[in-house]
Amino acid sequence: MDWSHSLRLIAPEETLSIAGLVLLLISAWGGDKASRLISILAVAVLVGAAALVAPALCGGAMGPDTSAFFGQFRADAFASYAKILIYLSAAATLVIAPAFFGRLGAMRAEFPVLVIFATLGMGIMVSASDLLTLYIGLEMNSLAAYVLAAFLRTDGRSAEAGLKYFVLGALASGILLFGMSLTYGFTGTTSFSGINAAVAGGLSHGALFGIIFMLAGLAFKISAVPFHMWTPDVYEGAPAPVTMFFASAPKVAALGLTMRVLLDAFGDQAQAWQQIVVFLALASIVVGAVGAIGQNNIKRLMAYSSINNVGFMLVGLAAATPQGAAAMLFYLTIYVAMTLGGFVAILMLKDAEGNQVEEIAKLAGLSRTRPGIALGLAVVMFSLAGIPPLFGFWGKFLVFQAAVDAGMMPLAAIGFAASVIGAFYYLKVVKVMYFDEPADVVKGESDVWHKLILTVSCVFISPLGYLLTKWLGGLSGTAATALFFAS
Amino acid sequence: MSGFPILSLMLAVPLLGALACLFLEAKAARSVALVATLVDFVLGVILWMNFDIGGAQWQFTERVGVFSGFSYALGIDGIALLLVMLSVFLMPICIGASRSIEKRVGEYMAAFLLVEVFMLGVFMAQDLYLFYMFFEAGLIPMYLIIGIWGGADRIYASYKFFLYTLLGSVLMLVAMLWMVHTAGTSDIPTLMAYDFDPSVQNWLWLAFFASFAVKMPMWPVHTWLPAAHVQAPTGGSVILAGVLLKMGGYGFIRFSLPMFPEASAYFAPLVWGLSMAAVVITSLIALVQSDMKKLIAYSSVAHMAIVTIGLFAFNTQGLEGSMLVMLSHGLVAGALFLCVGVIYDRLHTREISRYGGLAINMPRYALFFLLFTMASIGLPGTSGFVGEFLSLGGIYQVSTGAALICTTGIILGAAYMLYLYRRVVFGEQKNADAAAMPDLDVRELLMVVPLGLAVLWMGVYPESFIAPMRADIAALDARLARAKPAGDSAPTIGKAKPAHEEAAAHEGSH
């Protein structure tokens, strides 16, 4: 356990932080004119960081060798899997953002820098193996995210979203800290392995309250019901590329973190938190589905959809098995692809003046005026609804399979039945696009990057995605094994 | 033909056709769709000719392990073969019936070809999860077909169709997950021989029932069917009645019966009850319809009830009978929807009262409509008779009461079909526009003549259709034997009298 070994393990984080600082300096001297250059450099840095974490995933890194800084940080296959998803989402955000902000004259050099720092924070979150590392990563991500939500300074809705996100996020952080302090007080340690050893003989009441408060805080970050209220407002108000970022990368990070805390630190006390997770899962599925029905704004609809999807992923967590964890990771991969595809399609909806079209009613007849976008969005919607043969089905299938194999039949039956409610509003979008008479509002042209990302994600969630099940299944299985090996 | 992946080819042809249609102009799309379905039909004929009757149970099997969690495994037995044949036979006719579709032809043809891919996949799948995926996937193109090209109330109908069938299916998936977890394989032939714990069977059976009963559809969860049928375009109705409804019956015969024999016996009275209710209630509803398509839709529900009653008779007669009813109904209901479509294209109304006296200006049409009407009623010599007779004969061995009530369906069927025929074809020509309609043209004749010939073939020489499935039905019957419910009409026909009585009688005659 020497310093050079630890420093080698955190190479991706070092890369990101140094690059972030350098880019910050470039932006300070270059001004907003340099924003394009900074975006390109930031994407390059993210690709480089992904290349640095990939070997740990492919090699199936796990065990004591992956632990850095005396158990503070863990760079194993699980962290690598999550990080690759996070870097991918961040890179996609940076690729599509300039077109959006450029039109509003709001593209600023700080944007890529903020995304880089948020990504750094998320990387630390999924690698945390100590409550303090966890908190540092979480806050690093959150502080950048608050600014990103309010990035469109001239837009009142964006400022509102930033403020709401900040106030509620700070409250959730407070709750999380309270839970952490209770856990520390009753177990005498902040490291996950120490907590695991301390609660091995059974949970004290204090530690149980610690779990509950920590889960409440984490549920806010992953926007699980009943801590989801901020999500629709923030998603609607934040600029669309930022919403896409929020819906993808931080979800991966926060879910990865939750998995670490529950399966690593409290892995042997699963029965203590399982029922809480079951409640969060079912409540998210139902509220996410029912809440979406009345929405007229497509971004709000996607917000409820993300709540709904988080519910499905939590089903895998409730199983508390390596299979469940692998299923969650697989689902997260598909979810990221669906989210990127969905939001890019939404970004491509522009009227003649180039303003974003967000009202669902204005998409009427899109299949005739813009067949490409309509097809893409329809594929995403059917996939989110989990209708085979689209790939979204496979994610749901895996988490429910894990639940059934863990003997949780009622959870699987109720969850699946509730997914039918969700299908209703996804169908509504398809109905508006395909069945209604054209409103012919969407006229704007999109740049090639949007089309590329939409195409790639649609191909991934099309039936062709099933060809990847062996490969991705193997990787997510390795990652889940690493997570359980750590505990 | 061993080794040649003919089943995959049959899936690939319409799939490629569908992708091509998406990018083609209306006229080209029609041709591509017609060619693709005809090629598939030819492949189907080759498949049938190479099917070895009396050979291995599963033939033309393919298995490729490209996926994790499930395998791409295809294969057919005699039962699947017949349903595959029905599908590929009806598809070109459906494409032909879509001449009246004017808007978004390319997408329409693509959706239809996708439906064909998924239907064939359902009948060919040898892996439980693969089956489920095909089973569900058909919802998407059908939803679009009803919703985009349907009638006035299409939106409501499309939602109802989608959500109803989806809710039924997800419960089945949970049961499938449990079965695979317990049995350790998702291979359908293995599962068909796997004995599940009888106490759990009931739950599994109910979960599958939820799905198949909706697809079938059985009373009282049939209400999506009239809505979907009436609103769908003609081609959509034909394929919906002709093949999609058979998925429920296929599900029963492939999954519910062989995998859960005890539970099937336990719930048989429930199925009988629902079927009896369906036959009487939906026939009476059909009697009062003023919309032609709705009338035929309700008659479909009644016919499907004859299928379920035969399936749950637990004997060879009943099982073979239900298969024949399914095939016959596929042809006849498809043909009847086609007949409605023919006059709908001319007058754009489905109101029965707007027609009348068509025998005068459309004699050829009247002839074919009469043939299909008789087949629907079950006149001997047509396909309807063979299946219904066997089904009802099968159930009679088990429950005389059920047989009695279900047989009223034949009488009621005759009532509503003849009443429909009289109002549309006979009588005086009340409406000038209806009287001016031209008779069947060549395209329409090309569609109805094959159907008519098939109906007569199945009615006169049903052996062609029973032979491929005989061994499979016998195997299923043997599997069900241990759970067979005691019949209340214990058949005594042909039972030899005890020897001394016979001797006494013999002496007495001297």
Side-chain angles (χ1 to χ4, degrees), chain B residues 156-361:
Chain B
Y156 170 76
S158 61
Y159 271 107
K160 198 167 182 177
F161 167 76
F162 195 102
L163 295 176
Y164 236 85
T165 38
L166 183 64
L167 182 62
S169 306
V170 291
L171 292 174
M172 179 171 75
L173 183 57
V174 178
M176 285 180 171
L177 288 170
W178 192 89
M179 286 161 66
V180 174
H181 175 62
T182 309
T185 175
S186 56
D187 182 49
I188 289 177
T190 316
L191 284 168
M192 281 168 73
Y194 187 89
D195 294 317
F196 288 100
D197 180 5
S199 59
V200 191
Q201 274 190 20
N202 286 354
W203 291 103
L204 297 176
W205 190 91
L206 281 175
F208 276 75
F209 183 69
S211 179
F212 298 145
V214 170
K215 270 262 156 70
M216 194 84 198
M218 290 176 73
W219 184 86
V221 284
H222 65 282
T223 54
W224 65 268
L225 180 75
H229 262 324
V230 171
Q231 300 306 330
T234 304
S237 298
V238 174
I239 210 67
L240 199 58
V243 191
L244 285 179
L245 295 192
K246 309 306 173 277
M247 288 187 190
Y250 178 75
F252 278 124
I253 210 164
R254 176 69 72 236
F255 299 96
S256 298
L257 288 171
M259 292 184 192
F260 325 120
E262 278 84 12
S264 298
Y266 179 78
F267 285 109
L270 171 74
V271 177
W272 298 341
L274 293 180
S275 306
M276 286 188 280
V279 166
V280 177
I281 294 172
T282 53
S283 296
L284 290 175
I285 296 175
L287 209 47
V288 295
Q289 292 305 318
S290 58
D291 180 314
M292 283 189 276
K293 267 188 156 181
K294 233 175 188 160
L295 191 152
I296 300 168
Y298 277 108
S299 91
S300 291
V301 182
H303 279 105
M304 287 299 118
I306 306 279
V307 173
T308 46
I309 204 96
L311 287 175
F312 283 83
F314 291 85
N315 49 41
T316 323
Q317 251 179 329
L319 291 168
E320 280 178 359
S322 348
M323 273 304 292
L324 286 176
V325 175
M326 280 204 267
L327 297 175
S328 151
H329 177 265
L331 299 173
V332 173
L336 285 172
F337 277 117
L338 213 53
C339 288
V340 174
V342 164
I343 50 178
Y344 180 79
D345 285 349
R346 289 163 169 69
L347 214 55
H348 296 285
T349 174
R350 295 181 303 262
E351 279 297 307
I352 296 173
S353 54
R354 290 279 285 108
Y355 298 94
L358 295 188
I360 298 165
N361 57 326

Side-chain angles (χ1 to χ4, degrees), chain B residues 60-93:
Chain B
F60 307 102
T61 50
E62 298 170 27
R63 182 173 291 271
V64 190
V66 286
F67 308 115
S68 85
F70 68 106
S71 55
Y72 176 79
L74 301 179
I76 51 166
D77 64 351
I79 296 169
L81 170 77
L82 291 172
L83 290 166
V84 166
M85 281 311 297
L86 179 67
S87 312
V88 294
F89 178 69
L90 284 177
M91 276 314 292
I93 296 176

Side-chain angles (χ1 to χ4, degrees), chain B residues 374 378-386 459:
Chain B
M374 288 306 160
L379 194 77
T382 62
S383 60
F385 170 75
V386 189

Side-chain angles (χ1 to χ4, degrees), chain A residues 367 405 428 434 466 469-470, chain B residues 65 67-68 104 136 159 181:
Chain A
S367 64
D405 288 357
K428 192 173 90 175
Y434 276 81
Y466 286 93
T469 47
K470 270 201 166 153
Chain B
F67 308 115
S68 85
R104 297 155 92 179
E136 283 292 88
Y159 271 107
H181 175 62

Side-chain angles (χ1 to χ4, degrees), chain A residues 9-10 13 66-68 71-75 83 124 127 129 133:
Chain A
L9 284 174
I10 62 163
E13 278 69 32
T66 59
S67 185
Q72 296 273 331
F73 189 94
R74 199 175 277 283
K83 276 180 203 170
I124 298 176
S127 278
S129 59
T133 324

Side-chain angles (χ1 to χ4, degrees), chain A residues 207-226:
Chain A
L208 181 64
F209 272 97
I211 298 188
I212 293 171
F213 278 104
M214 279 173 72
L215 259 178
L218 292 171
F220 173 88
K221 299 292 178 191
I222 58 176
S223 66
V225 177

